Amino acid sequence: MKIFPITEKRKIWFAISAIVVAVGLVSMFVRGFNLGIDFTGGSLLELKFTKPVTIEEIREVLRAHGLENSVIQLAGETGRADGNSTVLIRTAALDDSARKKVTDDLAAKAGAFDVLRIENVGAVLGGEITRQAVVAIALSWLLMIAYITWRFEFKFAIASIIALLQDVMAVLTFFSLFQVEIDATFVAALLTIIGYSINDTIVIFDRIRENMRTFRRSDSLTALADKSIRQTLARSIYTVLTVLFVTAALYCFGGDTTRNFSLALLVGLVFGSYTSIFCAGSFWVELNSRKLKSVK
């Protein structure tokens, strides 16, 4: 049976990755991101209803106004999660007209209420958390480079980080292209994707290292890398499918507050599997191209 040569066809994977990165950069430059209220600030409404209401009741009303991703908190004397009369609602910035439509709809569908507070508020996260997220991701990559260099070799580390960069770019591209709202959970999703993707890549690299013990100068590095990828392919597919099933369930049934988080995970896990199987080993072969030529 003819075996598909993954790393020998690496120019195809490099072209696909280049297209994703190029589309992402153009989209980020032209369309930017749809930043949520955690990053941009918005309107804060504190309402006291005449009867207890639930978060889902309030969110259902807000959904009709395109505000289903608003932050809703129950407050008051009892503090019950299943219903309370005092509700804090944090939405995107609303002008007077839009705010009146929302409050009128809430009164009609959720019951009468007294307005305790209505005001515009600033961003909770903003620039500080963005800087911290960039530092956290950069630090994680530096530690990975150090660890992989220590356990394997520097070229393995560089190939891993290039693959991870693609994973992050793929998620950013998706969220920019489709203008999916970015909220506070997005940073956690990115770090989760990085952790999961590097795990798959390390499994492949570990198998390459093992197979290098029997590597002969007459063999090619592409054959060595492809053999190692094939030996771990079933394990990689089983693992990612298991995680994807759980993440898909979270996306479908986890509610509005976790939907964008699980969507980022879905995109990142799928693309991370692609980069682990098709790109990481190909990058390693490419970095060793001089050695490959000398072997030939």
Side-chain angles (χ1 to χ4, degrees), residues 15-37:
I16 293 173
S17 300
I19 291 172
V20 171
V21 171
V23 170
L25 290 175
V26 171
S27 179
M28 288 176 220
F29 182 75
V30 175
R31 297 167 63 88
F33 292 104
N34 178 16
L35 297 176
I37 57 177

Side-chain angles (χ1 to χ4, degrees), residues 5-6 32 72 75 80 87 110 122 133 152 163 179 188 216 222 231 277 289:
I6 293 176
I72 304 169
R80 292 162 46 194
V87 182
F152 296 87
Q179 289 294 290
R216 296 173 298 183
T222 55
Q231 289 174 340
I277 295 171
S289 57

Side-chain angles (χ1 to χ4, degrees), residues 1-23:
M1 183 178 70
K2 185 175 176 59
I3 299 173
F4 184 75
I6 293 176
T7 57
E8 190 177 314
K9 302 288 185 183
R10 57 187 180 277
K11 289 184 179 177
I12 297 176
W13 323 129
F14 295 165
I16 293 173
S17 300
I19 291 172
V20 171
V21 171
V23 170

Side-chain angles (χ1 to χ4, degrees), residues 69-90:
N69 290 326
S70 301
V71 178
I72 304 169
Q73 292 177 293
L74 300 178
E77 309 82 24
T78 58
R80 292 162 46 194
D82 58 343
N84 209 317
S85 57
T86 303
V87 182
L88 278 170
I89 305 172
R90 189 184 176 94

Side-chain angles (χ1 to χ4, degrees), residues 168-208:
V168 173
M169 278 300 298
V171 178
L172 292 174
T173 298
F174 184 90
F175 272 65
S176 173
L177 204 58
F178 296 99
Q179 289 294 290
V180 182
E181 185 175 303
I182 292 177
D183 56 25
T185 63
F186 187 74
V187 176
L190 285 183
L191 291 172
T192 304
I193 292 164
I194 290 171
Y196 181 85
S197 183
I198 193 65
N199 183 53
D200 254 3
T201 302
I202 288 296
V203 169
I204 294 173
F205 283 172
D206 189 50
R207 186 55 59 93
I208 290 177

Side-chain angles (χ1 to χ4, degrees), residues 10 153-156 159 205 208 212 220-222 224 280-295:
R10 57 187 180 277
E153 65 176 39
F154 183 64
K155 289 176 182 175
F156 279 122
F205 283 172
I208 290 177
M212 285 181 71
S220 70
L221 285 181
T222 55
L224 171 69
S282 298
F283 285 128
W284 177 77
V285 170
E286 188 65 26
L287 290 172
N288 286 280
S289 57
R290 291 185 180 181
K291 182 178 179 181
L292 181 62
K293 289 177 182 176
S294 68
V295 170

